[in-house]
Amino acid sequence: MKIKLNGDPLEIAGPVTVSALLTQLDIDARRVAIEHNLMVLKRASFDSTHIREGDQIEIVNFVGGG
Amino acid sequence: MDHLVIAGKTFASRLIVGTGKYSSPAVMVKAHEASGAEMITVAVRRVNISDRSKESLLDHIDTSKYFLLPNTAGCYTADEAVRTARLGREAGLSNWVKLEVIGDERTLFPDNVALLEATRTLVAEGFIVLPYTTDDPVVCRQLEDAGAAAVMPLGAPIGSGLGIQNVNNLRIIREFARVPLVVDAGVGTASDAALAMELGADAVLMNTAIAGAQDPVAMAEAMKLAVRAGRLAYQSGRIPRKMYATASSPIEGLVGR
């Protein structure tokens, strides 16, 4: 299925949970925050949130800044 | 001790430093130590999906020692800033945000109308909002009325190193403000930080002045000392400025008179 991840189209095998997507992408869930269709997810809901065709996902972390 | 208190949280240091533009994480870590700062700012950005090799900033920051202040740098609308603040809250450990809504690319001056709107939204959501603003006493008062936990007027444009451009405005803001006053941006060297503190700022926030110095670790120490010196001078009550000299030595008892 097709989703939009950080502004770019991405083809993934799905449907998957947010946690499963992070595992696929090799991203440590403790270090990121996620927005799912413009709603920020609580970390506790990563396991129970399902990503579906056409969903928009933003995965962010902290970088250097002032 | 003379502590900085913002929204009920106490900090021993009145210097707040950034994490951007360092030549290496090791230099950043040493500079942070030398600065004595307890609060450090971080930016919120998309994870690089195609290149996972890069180290995470948080690998280099002891979050038991430093309080993280996520910013909304680079946001040009209230909506973007609010989304970024919400993400920063989830990525971090607190509901604090350094709120930036930029209005112009070349100057990076804030869009104060959008800033006020974003402040109201985030305060209503329970955020501790520290807005970066222009050195405008009226806007600072509006931000305060909107529930900002501090006001953070610029001394000069971000990264410019020009120092405090409008001393009088900062004096007026100091007089008006009922929340902590943090001079954010524009500092170039230690005397700029000292001046901000002498004007009565509660704290100074800087990034480029330290990270961009030839020796960032030494400059971080210089800034620590400058902020302390400026604070002490402010509290000590400086002498009035006078046009003419007043002798420091007795005028009586001079030899040969």
Side-chain angles (χ1 to χ4, degrees), chain B residues 169-178 181 199:
Chain B
N169 274 26
L170 288 184
R171 280 207 186 97
I172 294 169
I173 293 168
R174 169 68 291 165
E175 211 178 293
F176 280 17
R178 288 156 295 159
L181 162 60
L199 292 171

Side-chain angles (χ1 to χ4, degrees), chain A residues 13-50:
Chain A
V16 291
T17 63
V18 168
S19 294
L21 177 68
L22 290 177
T23 305
Q24 272 185 43
L25 297 169
D26 191 25
I27 290 171
D28 183 347
R30 292 166 304 176
R31 290 285 167 87
V32 296
I34 297 182
E35 198 188 65
H36 178 221
N37 295 336
L38 302 180
M39 291 281 292
V40 175
L41 298 179
K42 294 275 169 210
R43 210 171 296 264
S45 68
F46 286 2
D47 280 336
S48 57
T49 304
H50 292 267

Side-chain angles (χ1 to χ4, degrees), chain B residues 133-151:
Chain B
T133 178
T134 39
D135 52 1
D136 179 335
V138 176
V139 172
C140 286
R141 189 162 53 190
Q142 289 169 329
L143 288 165
E144 198 178 305
D145 291 344
V151 287

Side-chain angles (χ1 to χ4, degrees), chain B residues 24-43:
Chain B
S24 74
V27 172
M28 178 188 78
V29 169
K30 281 190 190 139
H32 285 171
E33 277 169 18
S35 76
E38 292 175 345
M39 189 174 356
I40 61 176
T41 58
V42 293

Side-chain angles (χ1 to χ4, degrees), chain B residues 20-23 27 31 159 188 206-217 219:
Chain B
K21 297 187 186 173
Y22 282 96
S23 56
V27 172
M206 65 181 75
N207 188 143
T208 309
I210 294 174
Q214 285 186 23
D215 184 343
V217 180
M219 187 58 92

